[in-house]
Structures are given as C-alpha cells and as structure tokens.
C-alpha cells in the first residue's frame, strides 16, 4: 500500500478532466454524425456534465444523455460508422467515472487522482471493447432485438466474467 | 501495521486508557451506492428496452457496456469489518495550545478508505488542514494517522466524531460508518483571560465567617492549660507559670482555621451560552474560595463520585486554573451519563467542614447531595446561580411554557433545600456573587442560632 496521500487540487483536476472528456466525446459524435442536431445534442451532454459536477445524481442523466446522443448517430449509420463511435462510448463511460470520483470527494479531503484516472480509462476501454464486440456480433448474425438482447447480454456477462477473473489472477 | 508517523506513535500505550473505542454504541452505519451504479443500471436497461421498442439490435450494443460494468463492480462488497479509535496525547490544554493525537482505523481486505474527523467544536485543525481527513489509496488496514489540533476556545470539548467511508477497489457500493467519538479534552483559558474571567474579589465577604474548634500550633490564642509531658517548651507561658507556681502552656488555634468544601455543579451544552454558564459558576465559586483561602481555610472542590481536589493554600493562578479544570471535568461527568465513574456515591467529607454548594440547579444530583451533607451534620449553604437569561428567547408558546416550568422547577428545588435546612441565596444574572454571599452568611447565622435555641429549649431569636 502506498503512502497516505494529501493532494489538495485533486478534485479540481478531476472535474476539469471530466469536462474535457465530455467535450471531446461531443466533438467525436458531432463529427461522425455531421449535423446541427448532433452538435446541439453534444452541447447538451456537456451542459449536463457541468451540472453533474455539482449534483451527483445527474451522473445518471449524463450517461443516459451521452448514450442517446450516440444512439442518434448509430441509428443513421452502418456497422462501420457504429464502430467509429466506440471511442465516444468509452468517453461517456470515462466521463461518468470521473464525475463519480468528483462526487465522492465532496468533503475537502486531499487525495491522489492518479488511480482514479487510471481506473476511469480502464472502464472506458472495457466499455468501448464490449460495445464494439456486441455491435459486430449483432451486425454479423443480423439478430433481431430480442435475440440480440439475449445474445448480447450473455456475451457481455461472459466477457465481464473473463475480464474479472483475468484481473484477479494478476 | 502502517505508521504514517512512527515518532508520534511513541507513548501510545500509556495513553491507550484515554482512547475511545469505536465499534460499539454507534448507529450510523450506512451502505450506499456510488453515483455510477444507478447510472449504469438506468443506461444499460434503458438501452435494452429502447432496442426492443425500436427493433434496432444495434442499440443493445450501447447498453451492454453498462451492464458489464455493473456485473464487474457489484460483487465487490464493501468491508464488513470497519472500526477505529481516536487517541489524544493530552486530556487538558490551554487555549491556543496545539494538541497532537492519532487515529487508528481497521478494516478487512483491500479497500479505498476515506477518514474524516468531523464535528469538531472549539478545536481547529492544524495538520492536516482545513479538515482532519485523509483519502487512503487502495490497500489493507490497519492504518495509523497522526493529526494536530489547536484548542481555540476554552471549555470541555468532546464533540468530534470519526467517520470512515470504505469500498473495495473498483466497487460501486461503499460503507459509511461513524466508528469513534473524540476523547474529552478540557481546554483552560489563558492566563490573561483567566484573570478577566475570575477577577480577584474582596475578601471581606466571608472572611471570619466561622472558627474551628480545633486547636494547635498557630498564632491566635485559644487557652492556657497545665503542662503535660510532650508539650513543647516554647509553648510554656512563663508569666502564668510564675504566677501559679507550676508550668502552664499556651494553646493556639492552628493557622488553618476551617475546612470549606465547594460542592460544584455545572451542566453544559456546546456554545457561548454554556461557556458563560460555566464562567458564572466559576466566578461565584472563586469568590467563595479566594475569601476562605485568604482566611487561611483549607478549600476543597467536591464533585459527584470523585475525590476532593484541594486548592493550593496561596490561591493564585494555579488555584483558579484548578477550579476551572474541575468545573469542566464535572460538566463532562454530568453530561456523559454513560461514562463509568471511578467511585459511586458520596465521598468522605471531614466532619467539621462547611459545605457550600455552587450550582445552576441544572444537574439532578446536586440537591440530594447537599441535603445528604446537611443530614450528616455538616454546616451547609447553597449559592444558586440564575442562568435564565442565558436561555434562548422563546419562539413559540410551547417554549414560553417550557421556560416557566423550568423556572418553577428551580424554585421548587430551592424550597426543597430550604426545607431540609440548607440556606440558599440567589446570584442574579451577571451580577457578582458578593451580595449573595453576604445574604447566605446572614441566613446561615440565623439558622445556626435557631438550631442552638431549639437545642437549648428556648424560642429562636
């Protein structure tokens, strides 16, 4: 176990980072979507991210809005376009992780943001990979929503279990 | 065990008795979800439902990552064992002194732990600051965390609470628990404030109020008697011996002419009003004590379940500090009904002692104690301090009624004392105790005369 950490500006740094990731995610979605409506949705995502910095309960809203923003683009593109959105999915997840860390640091305790950022990036990467895998699976086998749901959920859970066991063995 | 500051852990064992132990007695134990848990669940299931509703299988891919994250995080339950304790190196300090201490937190397995010492009153964090708190990276317990506080206001402080929040690394559920409370710390005022708080008083108020029957070595003449083997040669009265043609000795009153015990009573809450209440009791007690100390009396402080603390004969600053310290200690004992007391019941009081109660009549034990000492034959009196002006202004009719009931109860307690033969005098508001002490002295004299008259069968004067 490392030493006791006493870094004061950690919360501010995490908040700035969350906002930056939300902004970059919005830009990615707007670029892939290529329309004024997508830019507006991306702007709304950034606004709700700012709100979630103050009110922890808005983290749920940020994730839902972020995924709906991606869904609006996904529905109009094919498999290739959908795969381009994997970094955006990771961005939404990373933003939520960072917002949760900011909310957790509501008391003015000092801390080291390093492990938090690393974990957020890992979650984002995992989310992106799962999204891409399920998207490819559903596109390849041309499943309908209900079989797709069952298959995707099963695949996702299996992947999760495998990742968890891999992390434990390390 | 990790020790963030090994130097500060030296001497931990000697102070262990003063430490408070955590796990028992606290109800605040909450398990709460991280803000991410509702977010992942809402987004995951929401997207799946959306996919079914729209018939777009691709949307399932958006919900899947959220469900995977939930599936990975939920099994990591927060630690089941979570306890801690706080140790202070001192039990007593002066205002503006820095007091060091140590927090020890235990938990099972690997966890990320936040530790906060909250609700500190009368103490200001020095290190760490602005809050005594740490956020510990993922690791195993136990951990020791040294801290330093500055005593900002005088009084008895034990209001701090140790809160611990723990979760497994990557988990979305955390456990929050109040694991220990602050050990009591009595903060005494600085010398300057002490002088203002307990200004020296005119000793004429009570000096010579009583004379003991004890005789011994001193300067005040008591009697002459025939010489007995063992008497000191210096005590022989040569003139009397020459007149009566046999050796006679002179017997004097000892320097210490009486024993006065102050039965102190104070109940306090937090805040400036409480401190003013303590200051009033201290001022009145000091007025009585300093007068008796100047009259060479032996003055002791008496409290429920504790031994008598004798004030230094010369009085002075040390005696004043001692008086305040004792008051703060009594307040803590009265306030904390759950604390174990070293001795239960009343303690031995010298038979010739004058017992003067100084009270705000807020503690339930005061009146029975004083009546007990009266019944065991001690000369007793009570100074009752009126603290009704320290009550908050009544906001509702219920407050007004409660205030009236409280005042009526106080009057009833005074009457109970009077009926039991304990003269009382009331010290009003912020007035000095001098007039009340004179009134009490008069009442005690009348009371003594009436007892003598009853004893001799004559009508009281």
């Amino acid at each position: 176990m490392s030493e006791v950490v006493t870094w004061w500006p950690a919360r501010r740094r995490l908040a700035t980072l969350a906002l930056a990731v939300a902004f970059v995610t919005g830009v990615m979605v707007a670029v892939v979507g290529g329309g004024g409506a997508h830019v507006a949705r991306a702007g709304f995502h950034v606004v709700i991210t700012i709100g979630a910095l103050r009110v922890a309960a808005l983290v749920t809203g940020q994730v839902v809005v972020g995924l709906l923003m991606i869904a609006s683009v996904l529905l109009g593109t094919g498999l290739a376009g959908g795969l381009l959105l994997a970094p955006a999915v990771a961005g939404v997840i990373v933003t939520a992780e960072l917002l949760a860390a900011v909310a957790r640091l509501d008391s003015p305790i000092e801390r080291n943001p390093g492990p938090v950022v690393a974990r957020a990036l890992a979650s984002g990467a995992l989310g992106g990979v799962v999204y891409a895998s399920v998207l490819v699976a559903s596109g390849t086998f041309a499943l309908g929503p209900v079989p797709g749901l069952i298959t995707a959920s099963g695949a996702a859970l299996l992947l999760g279990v495998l990742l968890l066991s891999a992390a434990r063995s390390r | 065990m990790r020790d963030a500051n090994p130097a500060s852990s030296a001497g931990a064992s000697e102070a262990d008795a003063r430490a408070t132990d955590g796990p028992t007695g606290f109800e605040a134990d909450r398990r709460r979800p991280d803000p991410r848990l509702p977010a992942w669940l809402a987004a995951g299931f929401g997207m799946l439902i959306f996919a079914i509703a729209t018939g777009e299988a691709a949307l399932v891919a958006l919900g899947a990552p959220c469900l995977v994250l939930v599936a990975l995080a939920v099994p990591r339950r927060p630690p089941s064992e979570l306890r801690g304790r706080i140790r202070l190196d001192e039990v007593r300090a002066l205002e503006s002194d820095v007091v060091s201490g140590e927090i020890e937190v235990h938990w099972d397995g690997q966890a990320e732990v936040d530790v906060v010492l909250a609700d500190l009153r009368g103490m200001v964090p020095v290190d760490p600051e602005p809050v005594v708190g740490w956020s510990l990276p993922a690791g195993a317990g136990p951990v020791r965390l040294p801290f330093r506080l500055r005593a900002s206001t005088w009084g008895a402080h034990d209001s701090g609470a140790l809160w611990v929040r723990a979760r497994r690394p990557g988990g979305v559920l955390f456990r929050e628990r109040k694991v220990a409370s602050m050990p009591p710390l009595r903060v005494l005022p600085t010398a300057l404030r002490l002088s203002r708080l307990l200004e020296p008083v005119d000793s004429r108020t009570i000096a010579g109020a009583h004379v003991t029957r004890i005789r011994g070595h001193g300067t005040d003449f008591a009697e002459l008697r025939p010489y007995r083997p063992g008497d000191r040669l210096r005590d022989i009265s040569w003139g009397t011996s020459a007149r009566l043609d046999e050796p006679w000795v002179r017997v004097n009153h000892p320097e210490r002419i009486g024993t006065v015990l102050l039965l102190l009573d104070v109940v306090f809450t937090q805040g400036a009003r409480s401190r003013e209440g303590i200051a009033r009791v201290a001022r009145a007690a000091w007025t009585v004590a300093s007068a008796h100390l100047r009259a060479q009396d032996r003055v002791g402080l008496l409290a429920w379940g504790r031994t008598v603390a004798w004030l230094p004969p010369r009085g002075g600053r040390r005696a004043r500090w001692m008086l305040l310290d004792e008051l703060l200690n009594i307040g803590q004992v009265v306030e904390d009904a759950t604390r174990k007391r070293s001795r239960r019941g009343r303690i031995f009081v010298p038979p010739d002692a004058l017992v003067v109660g100084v009270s705000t009549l807020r503690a339930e034990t005061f009146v029975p104690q004083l009546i007990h000492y009266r019944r065991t034959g001690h000369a007793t009196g009570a100074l009752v301090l009126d603290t009704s002006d320290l009550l908050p202004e009544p906001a509702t009719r219920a407050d007004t009624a409660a205030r009236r009931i409280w005042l009526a109860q106080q009057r009833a307690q005074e009457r109970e004392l009077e009926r039991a033969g304990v003269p009382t005098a009331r010290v009003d508001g912020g007035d000095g105790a001098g007039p009340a002490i004179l009134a009490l002295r008069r009442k005690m004299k009348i009371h003594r005369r009436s007892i003598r008259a009853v004893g001799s069968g004559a009508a009281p004067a």
Side-chain angles (χ1 to χ4, degrees):
Chain A
M1 187 167 186
S2 58
E3 285 301 306
V4 172
V5 174
T6 52
W7 283 11
W8 168 240
R11 194 177 189 227
R12 209 179 316 146
R13 284 186 203 176
L14 289 175
T16 312
L17 193 59
L19 209 53
V21 174
F23 181 76
V24 171
T25 306
V27 168
M28 273 191 286
V29 172
V31 167
V32 176
H38 295 305
V39 174
R41 285 182 196 118
F44 184 56
H45 178 241
V46 173
V47 169
I48 204 164
T49 303
I50 293 169
L53 289 173
R54 291 205 169 267
V55 184
L58 283 180
V59 174
T60 305
Q62 178 266 326
V63 175
V64 171
V65 166
L67 292 184
L68 284 176
M69 172 182 75
I70 296 167
S72 68
V73 179
L74 181 66
L75 290 176
T77 60
L79 181 62
L83 287 176
L84 283 177
L85 290 170
V89 173
V92 169
I93 290 170
V94 170
T95 306
E97 288 275 356
L98 295 174
L99 288 175
V102 171
R104 196 177 139 229
L105 296 174
D106 51 354
S107 55
I109 309 174
E110 302 166 354
R111 70 174 295 122
N112 182 355
V116 176
V117 175
R119 191 172 305 131
L121 290 174
S123 296
L126 174 66
V129 169
V130 170
Y131 162 77
S133 310
V134 176
L135 189 67
V136 169
S138 65
T140 306
F141 299 110
L143 297 172
V146 176
L149 164 75
I150 296 165
T151 311
S153 303
L157 284 174
L158 184 65
L159 187 62
V161 170
L162 288 173
L163 284 169
L164 184 63
S165 59
R168 278 185 179 164
S169 64
R170 263 189 287 130
Chain B
M1 174 176 288
R2 272 191 307 154
D3 194 344
N5 185 355
S8 70
S9 65
S13 58
E14 67 184 77
D16 271 354
R18 295 200 295 269
T20 53
D21 220 330
T24 54
F26 294 110
E27 293 176 0
D29 188 358
R30 290 182 294 173
R31 286 164 203 267
R32 288 196 300 168
D34 190 281
R36 291 172 302 163
L37 183 61
W40 300 151
L41 288 173
F45 285 111
M47 279 298 156
L48 293 181
I49 292 165
F50 189 35
I52 294 167
T54 58
E56 289 286 343
L59 290 178
V60 173
L62 282 173
C66 298
L67 294 176
V68 169
L69 290 171
V70 171
L72 286 174
V74 165
R76 300 175 192 181
R77 293 180 181 280
S80 55
E81 186 198 357
L82 204 57
R83 58 193 168 86
R85 65 178 186 173
I86 313 168
R87 181 180 62 76
L88 282 178
D89 292 342
E90 309 287 341
V91 291
R92 189 186 297 118
L94 275 181
E95 258 182 317
S96 81
D97 273 3
V98 173
V99 180
S100 56
E102 193 176 72
I103 287 170
E104 195 176 312
V105 184
H106 298 252
W107 65 89
D108 59 303
Q110 295 279 314
E112 288 175 356
V113 179
D114 291 345
V115 181
V116 184
L117 189 56
D119 305 326
L120 289 172
R121 278 191 286 256
M123 287 177 278
V124 178
V126 174
D127 181 30
E129 58 93 24
V131 169
V132 182
W134 299 262
S135 191
L136 308 172
V143 63
R144 281 179 175 176
L145 305 161
F147 66 91
R148 289 191 302 149
L149 300 170
R150 174 170 283 113
S152 57
T153 49
W154 71 271
H157 305 307
D158 58 355
S159 58
L162 179 63
W163 284 86
V164 176
R165 188 157 62 177
R167 66 173 186 175
R168 300 290 181 207
V172 286
L173 292 168
F174 60 81
R175 189 174 171 204
E176 203 170 65
R177 191 173 187 203
K178 184 178 166 185
V179 293
S181 58
M182 191 78 166
L185 176 71
R186 296 197 297 280
V187 179
L188 298 172
T190 55
L192 185 67
R193 195 189 291 272
L194 187 75
S195 304
R196 267 184 279 160
L197 203 65
L198 305 176
E199 285 172 2
V201 291
D202 186 356
S203 64
R204 286 176 298 172
T205 46
I206 330 183
H210 60 281
V211 175
T212 177
R213 288 178 190 157
I214 297 170
R215 290 156 195 166
H217 304 300
T219 52
D220 294 329
F221 174 75
E223 66 170 0
L224 287 167
R225 62 165 173 75
Y227 175 82
R228 287 197 296 247
D231 284 341
R232 297 186 306 179
L233 284 177
R234 70 164 73 163
D235 290 336
I236 290 174
S237 170
W238 298 108
T240 310
S241 301
R243 274 198 305 278
L244 298 175
D245 204 22
E246 62 174 319
W248 277 66
V249 291
R250 181 189 162 94
V251 181
N252 293 330
H253 285 295
E255 294 296 343
R256 181 175 58 77
I257 59 172
T259 303
V260 179
L261 286 172
L262 298 177
L263 180 64
L264 302 174
D265 151 45
V266 63
V267 173
F268 47 77
T269 52
Q270 294 294 334
R273 284 197 178 107
S274 173
R275 275 203 301 281
E276 174 57 21
I278 298 167
R280 283 186 193 177
V281 174
R283 268 196 292 271
W286 180 247
T287 308
V288 179
S290 59
H292 280 280
L293 287 171
R294 285 178 199 194
Q296 306 298 314
D297 283 347
R298 194 166 169 235
V299 180
L301 306 173
L302 193 59
W304 178 254
R306 289 166 53 82
T307 52
V308 179
W310 297 104
L311 292 179
R314 288 180 182 276
R317 194 181 292 162
R318 193 176 145 227
R320 282 186 262 176
W321 261 322
M322 204 168 153
L323 179 80
L324 261 186
D325 185 38
E326 197 64 19
L327 271 173
L328 295 176
N329 204 354
I330 293 162
Q332 277 176 336
V333 171
V334 172
E335 191 180 37
D336 185 359
T338 60
R339 191 177 298 169
K340 282 183 183 173
R341 290 163 193 166
S342 54
R343 302 176 57 169
R344 291 200 65 83
R346 299 170 187 96
I347 57 169
F348 173 75
V349 169
D352 64 330
L354 164 69
V355 181
V356 180
V358 184
S359 171
T360 54
L361 289 185
R362 291 196 182 193
E364 291 173 1
T365 52
F366 177 77
V367 171
Q369 277 184 89
L370 205 52
I371 291 175
H372 165 80
Y373 290 122
R374 176 72 201 93
R375 283 177 183 160
T376 51
H378 291 93
T380 49
L383 279 177
V384 176
L385 280 90
D386 182 8
T387 52
S388 56
D389 59 313
L390 297 179
L391 294 174
E393 282 300 313
T396 60
R397 288 175 66 187
D399 289 347
T400 311
R403 191 187 180 106
R404 278 190 196 151
I405 291 168
W406 183 74
L407 289 171
Q409 279 177 338
Q410 290 229 317
R411 297 287 179 197
Q413 282 185 304
E414 278 181 60
R415 278 198 297 276
E416 191 183 345
L417 283 171
E418 294 275 2
R419 271 202 304 274
V422 180
T424 63
R426 181 166 272 263
V427 183
D428 287 324
D431 295 349
I437 292 170
L438 285 174
L440 182 63
R441 184 183 160 187
R442 271 198 302 276
K443 277 188 174 181
M444 288 175 77
K445 269 187 182 169
I446 293 166
H447 189 71
R448 271 203 300 272
R449 248 183 261 145
S450 65
I451 288 172
R452 270 193 228 118
V454 169
S456 62

